[in-house]
């Protein structure tokens, strides 16, 4: 049963205290509801952002690990033949990009020539993690 609500001006002291108590409880419930909604929203945002970053990191790690090795140039070898042996087209668009990186790592000029016995550092990728 719902009763007519009296005007505040017509309430006695007991009814007025009860009315104020009910208002306070409603405000408190509303405040708790808002806090819980904002908390759930914040948790959802953290989960979404975390899963995006985790999947990004997981994808990069799943593609392999980049390593470097030292190679001694044999007679007749060129940067192109070294690139044939070590380039991985999953990570380099073409052989020229790989050769540019090898030149950069070894501080070689653009028109450089390599000689037999020379040591070069070359990058390569592997799916195995080595410590």
């Amino acid at each position: 049963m719902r009763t007519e609500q009296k005007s505040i001006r017509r309430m006695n002291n007991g009814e007025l205290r009860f009315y104020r108590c009910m208002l306070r409880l409603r405000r408190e419930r509303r405040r708790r509801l808002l806090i819980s909604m904002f908390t759930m929203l914040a948790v959802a945002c953290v989960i979404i952002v975390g899963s995006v970053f985790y999947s990004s990191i997981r994808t990069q790690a799943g593609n392999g690990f980049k390593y470097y090795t030292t190679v001694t140039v044999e007679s007749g070898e060129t940067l192109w033949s070294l690139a044939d042996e070590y380039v991985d087209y999953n990570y380099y668009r073409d052989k020229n990009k790989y050769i540019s990186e090898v030149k950069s790592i070894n501080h070689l000029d653009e028109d450089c020539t390599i000689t037999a016995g020379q040591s070069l550092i070359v990058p390569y990728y592997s799916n195995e993690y080595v410590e």
Side-chain angles (χ1 to χ4, degrees), residues 33 66 114-115 121:
L33 179 66
K66 187 174 188 177
I114 57 174
T115 57
I121 298 171

Side-chain angles (χ1 to χ4, degrees), residues 44-72:
C45 288
V46 167
I47 289 172
I48 290 170
V49 169
S51 65
V52 167
F53 282 122
Y54 178 75
S55 66
S56 172
I57 291 168
R58 191 82 178 133
T59 301
Q60 290 173 1
N63 290 340
F65 300 94
K66 187 174 188 177
Y67 295 104
Y68 299 90
T69 188
T70 303
V71 176
T72 303

Side-chain angles (χ1 to χ4, degrees), residues 23-37:
L23 285 178
R24 197 174 328 117
L25 288 174
R26 283 183 195 157
R27 284 188 205 124
E28 183 65 26
R29 277 190 226 129
R30 189 175 303 136
R31 188 179 69 78
R32 286 183 193 155
L33 179 66
L34 284 173
I35 288 172
S36 64
M37 285 176 31

Side-chain angles (χ1 to χ4, degrees), residues 72-88:
T72 303
V73 178
E74 300 290 327
S75 179
E77 274 188 319
T78 63
L79 288 176
W80 283 92
S81 61
L82 285 172
D84 285 335
E85 188 174 342
Y86 289 99
V87 72
D88 187 340

Side-chain angles (χ1 to χ4, degrees), residues 65-68 124 126-131:
F65 300 94
K66 187 174 188 177
Y67 295 104
Y68 299 90
Y124 70 97
S126 174
N127 289 330
E128 295 178 23
Y129 177 73
V130 179
E131 289 189 31

Side-chain angles (χ1 to χ4, degrees), residues 101-129:
E101 184 175 354
V102 170
K103 287 179 181 180
S104 173
I105 292 169
N106 293 288
H107 307 290
L108 301 174
D109 296 334
E110 283 301 314
D111 57 342
C112 71
T113 56
I114 57 174
T115 57
Q118 183 178 358
S119 293
L120 295 176
I121 298 171
V122 294
Y124 70 97
Y125 285 85
S126 174
N127 289 330
E128 295 178 23
Y129 177 73

